Amino acid sequence: ILVSIIIHSTTPTSALLFSQRKLRMRTAMMSNTGSSDKTPDSCIGVESSLLPILQRSFPDASSVSIEDNIVQANAEGFGVVVNGERGNSTQLFVKQVKAEKYSHKPWGDLRRTLLYSRTEARFYSDVLPLLKKNITEILPDWNIAPTCHLAETYLHGLIDEAESTSAKLSASEEYPDPSYDESDSSILHNKGGVLILESLKGDFYQTSPLTQSQASQCLTAIARFHATAFEDKEILSVVSDKLCEYGGSYHLKNRNPKELENLEKTWDNFSNELKVAKPELFEKDSVRNLAKRIKALAEDISMELSPAFDDKYATIVHGDYKAMNVFLPGDGDGDGDGNGEEITKTDENEINGHAIIIDYASTGVGMGMSDVAMHVTHALHPVDLINGGEEALVDIYLFSLQEVMPNFTYPKEIAMRHYRLATIDYFRFVLGRLWRGVTLEAFEKRKSSKNAVFVNRNIEAALYFIERADKFLTEIEEENIST
């Protein structure tokens, strides 16, 4: 089944396409996890394949040139200049998933890649209009996400439309694994998905790690995003049906079961490698047994963070809320380096503008604190979290949530419990998935990779994450004993 949605804006196509726009290379609509070439020679032959796709939404387009190419593990992005018959041009962003490009992946991994594409296409077509309708009266000038002109997936023969996004433990008669390899990928031909997104207008930028001020903007944005569907059973029913069954890229149900199964072994290897950085930390009994303790509570923690669409505190979660999935207003000049320095620039757009959120491949129903906990860990230096800094950031999120939902109460005690649980849950993912086979050399190699989790590229941040996980887990264990 070809699922193709053309989403029309209120601006006529010809006016939208042929209006003059300032071309900015900061406007990629996906986070940069791979290479980014300003003049990508590898894309010379790609324009001819992109033009017919672009013409579905912009029929007057006569040619296209690729200005930017971003290669990710699960998708490829093209910043394109679309030229019209009238001689004018505009910039768009095309996010594409071609199944045959990933024929080297085992089916479990390729399946996840294709489901990411399906989820994001459905978000733009089926869910985003509902969210905008809910928020329009409060924040009429906030777009939430980039305008989408085309959202399409074609997965027939690979993934059924009704198939769950949760990880498959084994092949089944209902959903058998397809047969392919790098020498014969015919079943994958012409399968995948594509999005055509607008380039962000005005001055926006991405960066990581963040200062407290930048993180505050991001947490305000995600609070507003959560507010669009907080305890809204009608919207969350659609989210539950159309998007991820379990919201979040790091949700336990979406992960390979071997990550949890091998958690203690991974922790032993990690500890042996990094204990030289802070021996006294790894000598603590609670830290020595950290993986065992997390493994024992992993299922219960995940369950508490997995509300049904009609449960209390349920909302829509982004699912991959890292710093590079947020475009901040401003041009980024004069911003701090994420090491405790505040932004000194006072650009009016930066103060009054709204952040734009991108990459909705893991979106679903969940607890909003799952996004908050991931963001704080992923994007901030420890110096910004100590001495009450971490709780202050959570307070900013709660204040922003209350600001757009004045009649709603999220008790601080419950909110902080959800936050601690989500931090432990994210630690389980980072340890099981990202810290396998880790070395000090690997940290050094990734230290400048803005899209990498900060605790996976900065030793100080990793050590502080361990301390936080140990502290929060101890508190949860004590609470569980008392109740």
Side-chain angles (χ1 to χ4, degrees):
I1 300 172
L2 176 67
V3 181
S4 180
I5 305 97
I6 297 179
I7 306 165
H8 297 287
S9 69
T10 55
T11 307
T13 298
S14 58
L16 179 63
L17 175 59
F18 299 123
S19 61
Q20 292 289 347
R21 289 186 182 179
K22 184 179 180 181
L23 300 183
R24 296 182 57 83
M25 291 302 101
R26 294 181 183 270
T27 53
M29 294 296 106
M30 57 198 288
S31 48
N32 186 356
T33 61
S35 60
S36 177
D37 306 310
K38 296 304 179 185
T39 54
D41 295 336
S42 60
C43 295
I44 292 176
V46 179
E47 291 96 335
S48 59
S49 66
L50 290 180
L51 183 59
I53 297 173
L54 290 160
Q55 286 173 333
R56 296 178 196 173
S57 296
F58 303 99
D60 293 333
S62 59
S63 65
V64 58
S65 60
I66 297 173
E67 297 291 317
D68 197 28
N69 179 217
I70 298 172
V71 180
Q72 288 185 312
N74 296 298
E76 187 168 9
F78 302 94
V80 301
V81 177
V82 182
N83 304 302
E85 294 175 354
R86 301 180 188 181
N88 292 339
S89 63
T90 192
Q91 189 180 47
L92 296 166
F93 191 82
V94 180
K95 184 174 181 179
Q96 192 171 47
V97 175
K98 287 188 173 182
E100 58 193 297
K101 280 196 170 185
Y102 305 98
S103 60
H104 61 282
K105 290 187 175 186
W107 173 240
D109 292 340
L110 176 53
R111 176 179 177 272
R112 186 184 302 115
T113 293
L114 298 176
L115 286 170
Y116 284 154
S117 181
R118 188 186 77 175
T119 296
E120 189 160 25
R122 289 178 172 183
F123 170 80
Y124 278 106
S125 62
D126 298 335
V127 175
L128 184 57
L130 302 178
L131 305 184
K132 285 186 174 182
K133 184 178 179 180
N134 247 15
I135 203 72
T136 296
E137 291 185 9
I138 304 172
L139 295 167
D141 58 340
W142 187 40
N143 292 326
I144 302 176
T147 297
C148 181
H149 301 291
L150 178 69
E152 173 182 293
T153 56
Y154 184 62
L155 306 176
H156 181 66
L158 296 179
I159 296 175
D160 188 86
E161 277 297 296
E163 188 170 337
S164 169
T165 56
S166 61
K168 288 173 62 178
L169 299 181
S170 61
S172 65
E173 185 175 334
E174 185 179 9
Y175 301 124
D177 291 353
S179 177
Y180 66 90
D181 56 40
E182 291 187 73
S183 62
D184 181 10
S185 60
S186 56
I187 194 173
L188 305 180
H189 290 176
N190 298 319
K191 306 294 173 60
V194 64
L195 296 173
I196 298 177
L197 303 168
E198 69 166 338
S199 283
L200 295 177
K201 293 180 287 187
D203 291 335
F204 289 85
Y205 69 99
Q206 298 161 288
T207 191
S208 179
L210 304 175
T211 63
Q212 287 180 325
S213 176
Q214 291 165 329
S216 296
Q217 287 180 286
C218 293
L219 291 171
T220 296
I222 200 63
R224 291 169 174 173
F225 179 72
H226 293 159
T228 62
F230 218 104
E231 293 186 356
D232 188 317
K233 297 177 183 179
E234 184 177 349
I235 290 180
L236 293 180
S237 176
V238 176
V239 173
S240 178
D241 180 57
K242 294 290 187 178
L243 307 185
C244 289
E245 181 179 2
Y246 301 97
S249 59
Y250 69 93
H251 193 286
L252 186 61
K253 293 289 187 182
N254 297 333
R255 304 308 311 167
N256 187 326
K258 291 183 178 179
E259 292 175 6
L260 184 62
E261 180 183 328
N262 297 327
L263 205 65
E264 291 167 272
K265 179 180 178 181
T266 302
W267 178 241
D268 288 341
N269 294 336
F270 178 89
S271 300
N272 288 334
E273 182 68 25
L274 263 73
K275 64 184 180 183
V276 63
K278 197 170 184 179
E280 66 276 14
L281 174 63
F282 292 93
E283 290 172 1
K284 292 177 59 178
D285 287 340
S286 59
V287 172
R288 188 179 301 114
N289 295 314
L290 188 56
K292 182 179 180 180
R293 295 162 62 208
I294 289 177
K295 188 174 181 179
L297 290 178
E299 295 282 355
D300 291 339
I301 289 173
S302 181
M303 185 176 298
E304 189 167 344
L305 294 172
S306 305
F309 74 90
D310 55 353
D311 282 347
K312 194 166 183 61
Y313 308 120
T315 190
I316 183 172
V317 294
H318 179 273
D320 192 21
Y321 202 57
K322 53 193 175 187
M324 297 297 283
N325 277 340
V326 187
F327 276 77
L328 294 167
D331 60 15
D333 291 340
D335 59 315
D337 64 1
N339 290 283
E341 296 183 12
E342 287 298 312
I343 294 178
T344 57
K345 184 177 175 58
T346 56
D347 182 270
E348 182 179 354
N349 186 41
E350 188 168 346
I351 295 173
N352 299 323
H354 299 297
I356 298 295
I357 302 171
I358 64 168
D359 200 347
Y360 295 88
S362 302
T363 300
V365 175
M367 289 291 184
M369 282 299 178
S370 292
D371 283 336
V372 177
M374 176 181 177
H375 189 77
V376 169
T377 297
H378 194 288
L380 283 147
H381 195 280
V383 72
D384 291 312
L385 303 180
I386 61 175
N387 298 324
E390 182 172 7
E391 187 167 346
L393 288 168
V394 176
D395 284 341
I396 288 171
Y397 166 81
L398 293 173
F399 174 81
S400 300
L401 196 64
Q402 189 77 43
E403 192 175 34
V404 290
M405 296 192 308
N407 298 322
F408 172 77
T409 301
Y410 192 5
K412 179 71 175 290
E413 182 180 354
I414 294 175
M416 288 308 298
R417 175 177 171 84
H418 291 163
Y419 177 77
R420 294 195 301 269
L421 288 171
T423 301
I424 298 165
D425 199 39
Y426 190 53
F427 185 92
R428 180 263 311 156
F429 162 74
V430 170
L431 174 59
R433 176 67 179 90
L434 303 182
W435 283 350
R436 290 181 302 178
V438 74
T439 62
L440 293 172
E441 291 75 18
F443 270 83
E444 178 66 21
K445 185 177 180 180
R446 287 190 294 263
K447 69 178 182 180
S448 299
S449 177
K450 289 191 174 185
N451 202 63
V453 184
F454 197 53
V455 297
N456 200 32
R457 62 186 178 100
N458 180 281
I459 297 294
E460 186 180 352
L463 296 174
Y464 190 59
F465 190 25
I466 294 168
E467 293 181 37
R468 291 168 58 223
D470 178 38
K471 176 179 180 291
F472 290 163
L473 185 56
T474 299
E475 292 171 355
I476 294 299
E477 289 168 336
E478 291 174 351
E479 287 178 12
N480 291 348
I481 291 174
S482 66
T483 57

